Structure formats: C-alpha cells, structure tokens
Amino acid sequence: MKALIFCAMAVPAVALAGDADVAFLTEDYAPYSWMENGEAVGHGIDLIHEVANRAALSSSVEITKWTRAIVLAEKNENTCVFSTARTEEREPKFQWAGPMYVESTYLVQRAGENADVTTLDVALTKAIGTQVGDFTVELLNGLGAAKVDTAPDLEKTLKKLRAGRLDYVILGEDGAKSITAQNADLEMALEVSRDEFFIACSKSTPAETVAKIDAAMASMMADGTQAQMVAKYK
C-alpha cells in the first residue's frame, strides 16, 4: 500500500545530478512522488523517467521541499521542477514543457465537518491550509479566500487540519483521493478549480533541451502513456 512519507531526500534517476543533462526536482506528494524503500516512486516519477528516455537525456530526480525546488529550478542551469501550475506570476520565470497533468484541485476536510457548507463561496470564508510557494496560495487569494494559512510542507498543514486550526486543506485531485483513501478521518469536500500542470525549466536551460522535454511529454499524452502511468496508482 502506498504510504505518505514526508522527507527531503535525493535519489539518482539515471545519473548523478552533477553528471546529468537535466536535474528534475519535485516535492513529497503522493501519489505523484514520494520515497518508498529508499526509492523515489509515484506516477510523476514514472513520467519523468519516460520523458528523459524519450528525449534521450540523462537525468537525476530529487524529492525536496517545494520552496527549495522552485528556487533551484529558477536559478540553476539544466534544472526543471515538476509538476508546476503555470500561473501569471511564474510564467516569465521559466521555460515550460507539457502539460504533464490536467486535473482539478479539491478542498479536503475532517470527516463529517462543514456539513452546512454547500458552495465554494461559503467555503472560501473558512480557514484553508496549503504550503508556502504552492500555486494554490495565489489561486485562493485570487478567489478572495478570507484566510489562507501556509505551512512549510503538507505534513504540517495536515496536522493543523486535524488539530482543528483549519477548516480545509487544498490539494490536487490525485493527492486528495490518495490521502482520503488512506485516512478515514479525512474526506474530499468541494472542487475549487481545474488546472494544467507543467514541467518548468530554468531560463538558463538550453531551449533545445526544453523542446525535447516538451516533445517527449506531448508524445506521452498523445499515445496514452501518461494516462496509463497515472492509472497504475489509482
């Protein structure tokens, strides 16, 4: 059974980061990416391995804090972060490949709570938790959320929810489904938005490298490989 393990660890994918054509960074966020028995696993990890294979690139993968991943992908050559919402604020900071996913975001709550909340407008008046640097901070603020609470990582956000300090946590669809399937005290509530999520590469990464990554991801979407890899973790 998949387990949510919150840690910052690096693991080689095809080559050591210093020798790789591209360093790919992501966060601990099952079922997209997490550590299990010393290995980085998840459908996001599988997709990146296949992207590198189709693009004929050597690569490394590191699971770390999201804020660190974004900063490194913004400033380091041959570095990409996944999977990243293509927001107005992020648009000029990266070169973009993908999309890697098209999915919804959901509010997750303690089971049986907020029974009186039937619309998103009402839910947005409640305390909603997310992580520092996550695109959902900008999303919630743009929707006029009354109280957006940020924590360094998902583990701390979930602790706040369980302690009653938050009414909701906002998560990607697969993340929401995974967490609620594994934790009977949590349940999915309302859909917030539907978004595309990309591989975002530093501006200093060669354009031809980004083009290869983009073409590889597009081919995986077109031939059904992306859907098959994601379905393995349902």
Side-chain angles (χ1 to χ4, degrees):
M1 182 174 71
K2 299 192 294 293
L4 289 172
I5 304 171
F6 301 94
C7 55
M9 299 182 68
V11 59
V14 180
L16 295 176
D19 299 324
D21 290 330
V22 181
F24 291 98
L25 306 172
T26 192
E27 64 181 329
D28 188 334
Y29 194 178
Y32 308 87
S33 50
W34 79 98
M35 297 298 297
E36 187 171 283
N37 300 322
E39 286 188 46
V41 296
H43 54 65
I45 302 298
D46 292 349
L47 290 171
I48 289 300
H49 285 323
E50 182 61 17
V51 162
N53 180 56
R54 293 191 184 198
L57 297 169
S58 62
S59 64
S60 66
V61 173
E62 182 181 353
I63 295 177
T64 187
K65 298 290 186 184
W66 184 251
T67 48
R68 177 175 178 269
I70 283 283
V71 168
L72 291 177
E74 195 173 330
K75 70 180 184 180
N76 288 355
E77 186 178 8
N78 298 317
T79 303
C80 304
V81 62
F82 69 98
S83 53
T84 312
R86 194 168 180 172
T87 65
E88 183 178 351
E89 187 270 336
R90 288 174 178 168
E91 179 69 32
K93 296 180 179 180
F94 298 99
Q95 299 180 78
W96 298 89
M100 192 173 178
Y101 301 100
V102 181
E103 66 172 30
S104 297
T105 55
Y106 280 86
L107 296 178
V108 170
Q109 63 187 14
R110 297 182 302 280
E113 294 290 320
N114 306 306
D116 59 326
V117 179
T118 58
T119 67
L120 181 60
D121 285 343
V122 175
L124 291 171
T125 68
K126 307 286 188 175
I128 304 174
T130 185
Q131 289 68 250
V132 176
D134 195 273
F135 91 101
T136 53
V137 176
E138 185 178 343
L139 172 65
L140 290 169
N141 286 333
L143 291 171
K147 183 180 179 182
V148 180
D149 183 281
T150 57
D153 53 49
L154 181 56
E155 180 183 23
K156 290 181 174 61
T157 301
L158 290 172
K159 283 182 178 178
K160 290 182 182 181
L161 178 66
R162 287 190 164 110
R165 295 167 57 191
L166 298 172
D167 297 293
Y168 301 103
V169 168
I170 186 170
L171 294 168
E173 184 172 357
D174 277 2
K177 288 178 178 177
S178 177
I179 283 177
T180 54
Q182 296 177 53
N183 298 275
D185 61 325
L186 302 177
E187 64 184 8
M188 292 174 67
L190 299 168
E191 183 181 42
V192 179
S193 67
R194 189 160 182 82
D195 306 278
E196 293 182 328
F197 297 87
F198 292 77
I199 303 165
C201 300
S202 62
K203 300 289 279 188
S204 56
T205 299
E208 57 268 29
T209 298
V210 180
K212 289 179 181 179
I213 294 170
D214 184 58
M217 192 66 244
S219 71
M220 292 164 63
M221 285 288 200
D223 67 15
T225 300
Q226 188 268 3
Q228 292 171 10
M229 287 185 168
V230 171
K232 286 170 51 182
Y233 293 85
K234 299 292 188 182

